[in-house]
């Protein structure tokens, strides 16, 4: 008499028997899947937020341009503060390949900025007064938040434009004819407030006065402290190499030339390093979730000994029992992974919308997250599945 071969489980059968434990103990399944979901959500959101930040940086640089170069005084051989020549801006403007050039000059240590004369002298809020050219706005890519920029008329009178952080520190929301600040003991009318300037962050904490007014009212000596220049893209490398010698021919070693877009890229690289740290935290959370799944599956095997014994007595093979519990572990992890991917994408979208960034979630992040959850589920469910398959029918049906 030929022995009957055990029935084979199809994919639908595997899903049905694998979901038995999830349906009968939904709260336990939810809590176990939650651990996986938290880890995957952390990883997807970190990657998504970092990618969205990078996309915003690229968009910003595309709008502002990467060809802005700044020239500033460095240090002398003796270690003292150097100084740019009075005609440094004019000499740079005569270089081949220069599209635009402008400058600011620090007014002096005595030109403290206050909201009014009643403010104690020590409360300067770190605000710096600069003399500014009227073409500065276009050169650095700045925009006016309220009011207007300096022009040929206002640059000769005690009129100022505030940087974005300066306006916040002084409690000034908008420019107006009745809004005044005190700069170096001189009352000045606030004619404008700037938006943040990504490529010239020093302007955010500054008070900008017209070049002639700074010389007449605040004792400005006329030396520029930062010269901004926009070379043609094709001549960028050539111009950058010649800027120091052009700005100060007698001492080019005392001139610092920088590219603000490089500083923004370095800041983004720092953010990427921090994102790597957060990814590690997400991996730890995912590992903890995997331990939770393994614990749940081991307890499930212990609680369902009678079920295993009954199925074995009815003809289920060890392989089918092993497949059942392994499928249950994979389903549990897959549910947690899918929930984590959706949660991470939602967090990324919410944060990007709050920051007005483009929403970018690299496809490999959710795909990798789901693959990681399936791997975790397979590892976590392997031992409980083997343990359940080794139970004999008589041993499993015995009451503990």
């Amino acid at each position: 008499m030929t022995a009957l071969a055990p029935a084979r489980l199809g994919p639908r059968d595997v899903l049905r028997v694998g979901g038995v434990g999830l349906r009968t103990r939904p709260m336990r399944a939810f809590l176990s899947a939650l651990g996986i979901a938290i880890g995957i959500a952390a990883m997807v959101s970190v990657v998504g937020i970092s990618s969205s930040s990078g996309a915003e940086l690229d968009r910003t640089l595309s709008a502002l341009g990467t060809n802005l170069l700044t020239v500033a005084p460095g240090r002398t051989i003796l270690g003292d503060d150097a100084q740019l020549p009075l005609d440094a801006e004019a000499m740079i403007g005569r270089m081949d390949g220069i599209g635009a050039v402008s400058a600011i000059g620090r007014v002096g240590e005595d030109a403290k900025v206050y909201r009014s004369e009643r403010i104690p002298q020590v409360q300067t809020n770190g605000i710096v007064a600069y003399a500014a050219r009227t073409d500065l706005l276009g050169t650095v890519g700045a925009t006016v938040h309220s009011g207007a920029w300096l022009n040929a008329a206002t640059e000769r009178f005690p009129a100022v434009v505030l940087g974005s952080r300066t306006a916040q520190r002084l409690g000034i929301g908008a420019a107006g004819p009745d809004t005044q600040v005190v700069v170096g003991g001189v009352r000045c009318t606030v004619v404008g407030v700037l938006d943040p300037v990504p490529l010239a962050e020093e302007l955010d904490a500054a008070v900008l006065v017209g070049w002639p007014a700074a010389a007449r009212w605040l004792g400005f000596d006329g030396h520029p402290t930062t010269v901004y220049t926009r070379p043609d893209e094709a001549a960028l490398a050539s111009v950058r190499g010649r800027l120091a010698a052009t700005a100060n021919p007698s001492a080019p070693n005392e001139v610092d030339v920088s590219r603000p877009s490089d500083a923004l890229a370095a800041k983004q690289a720092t953010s990427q390093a921090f994102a790597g740290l957060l990814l590690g935290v997400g991996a730890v959370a995912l590992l903890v979730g995997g331990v939770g799944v393994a614990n749940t599956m081991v307890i499930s095997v212990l609680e369902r000994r009678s079920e295993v014994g009954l199925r074995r007595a009815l003809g289920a093979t060890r392989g089918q029992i092993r497949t059942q519990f392994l499928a249950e572990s994979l389903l549990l992890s897959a549910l947690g992974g899918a929930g984590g991917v959706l949660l991470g994408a939602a967090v990324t979208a919410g944060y990007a919308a709050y920051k007005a960034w483009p929403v970018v979630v690299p496809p490999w992040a959710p795909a990798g997250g789901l693959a990681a959850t399936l791997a975790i589920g397979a590892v976590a469910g392997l031992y409980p599945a083997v343990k359940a398959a080794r139970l004999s029918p008589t041993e499993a049906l015995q009451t503990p």
Side-chain angles (χ1 to χ4, degrees), residues 375-389:
I376 289 288
V379 173
L382 186 60
Y383 171 73
V386 172
K387 182 178 178 64

Side-chain angles (χ1 to χ4, degrees), residues 6 16 26 56 197 220 225 250 321-322 329 348 371:
R16 187 170 62 251
E56 173 63 17
V197 188
F220 175 50
T225 51
S250 62
I321 298 298
R322 186 165 50 245
S329 177
T348 299

Side-chain angles (χ1 to χ4, degrees), residues 81-99:
D81 291 334
Q83 195 174 47
L84 292 178
L86 290 171
D87 55 352
E89 180 185 359
M91 291 189 293
I92 292 173
R94 290 192 291 268
M95 292 177 62
D96 293 333
I98 293 294

Side-chain angles (χ1 to χ4, degrees), residues 174-216:
D178 298 329
T179 305
Q180 294 186 331
V181 295
V182 178
V183 182
V186 179
R187 274 196 162 271
C188 301
T189 300
V190 178
V191 296
V193 176
L194 297 181
D195 288 315
V197 188
L199 294 183
E201 293 184 346
E202 62 275 9
L203 301 182
D204 293 341
V207 167
L208 302 170
V209 190
W211 206 275
R216 177 181 177 184

Side-chain angles (χ1 to χ4, degrees), residues 71-74 82-88 223-227 247-248 254-256:
V71 179
Q83 195 174 47
L84 292 178
L86 290 171
D87 55 352
H223 287 275
T225 51
T226 303
V227 179
N248 192 350
E254 298 179 0
V255 178
D256 291 336

Side-chain angles (χ1 to χ4, degrees), residues 2 27 43 73 92-93 106 168 170 213 217 245 288-289 308 334 351 360 393:
T2 305
M27 183 53 67
M43 299 176 71
I92 292 173
R106 185 160 183 170
Q168 294 175 358
L170 295 178
W217 302 92
V288 172
V308 173
Y351 189 81
V360 179

